[in-house]
Amino acid sequence: MRKWNGILTILIMVLFLAHSIMGSFQLYGVGSNALKHTARAAMVLVILHGLIGAKLTADTIRTARRTGVTYIRQNLLFWARRVSGFALLVFLVLHMTAFSAGNAGAYRLKWFTGGRLVTQLLMILALAVHLISNIRPTLITFGIKGLQKKTGHILFALSILLLFMAAAMVIYYLRWNRI
């Protein structure tokens, strides 16, 4: 099951990259409306990934109850992965509800207040925590060696992408509010 979850993770990452880059360009005002298909495909995979994560978490809790040993302190990274994933799901729902069909099928935000900006930036933060805490296990799942060097490159690329996304949200907020 972990191998399938790893495969789902890679597919989600590919769709996430496509969606976030296209969405950021759209928020910058130079994008297209091709987001719908990548977003829907990614959402199906995210739901499957979440279900597998929930089952693995339930198995862990069941084992802890059965043995009477939780090792909470030793497993803080495990729980950070679970909590950040759950937070990300909450923020994804807020992200999805931010858009509605507008003129000629173009997607527009219903409103983009400071609160909306904060929820979107928090989603990016939750995504960053979830991705960063899960890079190592994903690489291990596929037997990729040289983790330190690869992890640094991956984190750098993700940092640039997350900064690009956050800047798009802020610029869109400023344009929306004509500040």
Side-chain angles (χ1 to χ4, degrees):
M1 182 170 305
R2 291 184 194 279
K3 188 72 159 190
W4 284 108
N5 207 26
I7 292 168
L8 281 175
T9 299
I10 299 302
L11 292 173
I12 290 168
M13 285 299 302
V14 168
L15 291 173
F16 158 72
L17 290 171
H19 179 75
S20 62
I21 290 169
M22 287 187 297
S24 294
F25 278 125
Q26 191 170 21
L27 292 178
Y28 284 124
V30 293
S32 68
N33 289 334
L35 293 169
K36 183 170 49 173
H37 302 296
T38 58
R40 287 181 180 164
M43 199 59 198
V44 168
L45 296 180
V46 165
I47 290 168
L48 290 172
H49 179 69
L51 290 172
I52 291 172
K55 188 213 180 301
L56 293 172
T57 302
D59 291 347
T60 300
I61 292 170
R62 251 191 309 277
T63 300
R65 282 188 181 163
R66 187 171 30 90
T67 62
V69 182
T70 59
Y71 298 111
I72 295 290
R73 280 194 155 140
Q74 294 81 357
N75 291 321
L76 284 178
L77 189 55
F78 169 84
W79 290 108
R81 290 177 183 131
R82 293 327 192 246
V83 170
S84 66
F86 181 74
L88 191 52
L89 287 174
V90 170
F91 287 121
L92 279 173
V93 170
L94 293 173
H95 181 71
M96 290 184 327
T97 60
F99 294 91
S100 64
N103 297 346
Y107 282 85
R108 300 280 183 248
L109 291 171
K110 293 178 183 174
W111 69 91
F112 206 62
T113 62
R116 178 66 63 190
L117 175 65
V118 168
T119 64
Q120 299 309 290
L121 292 175
L122 286 173
M123 178 187 69
I124 293 170
L125 179 62
L127 179 64
V129 170
H130 195 66
L131 289 173
I132 290 168
S133 65
N134 282 293
I135 287 173
R136 186 177 206 94
T138 302
L139 292 174
I140 290 170
T141 297
F142 292 105
I144 297 173
K145 296 183 180 171
L147 294 176
Q148 289 296 63
K149 186 177 180 182
K150 286 179 179 49
T151 301
H153 290 258
I154 292 168
L155 286 175
F156 179 72
L158 286 174
S159 297
I160 297 297
L161 179 63
L162 292 168
L163 180 62
F164 181 71
M165 291 165 43
M169 292 288 180
V170 170
I171 288 170
Y172 191 74
Y173 169 77
L174 294 174
R175 282 185 20 218
W176 182 273
N177 290 290
R178 295 192 174 126
I179 294 176

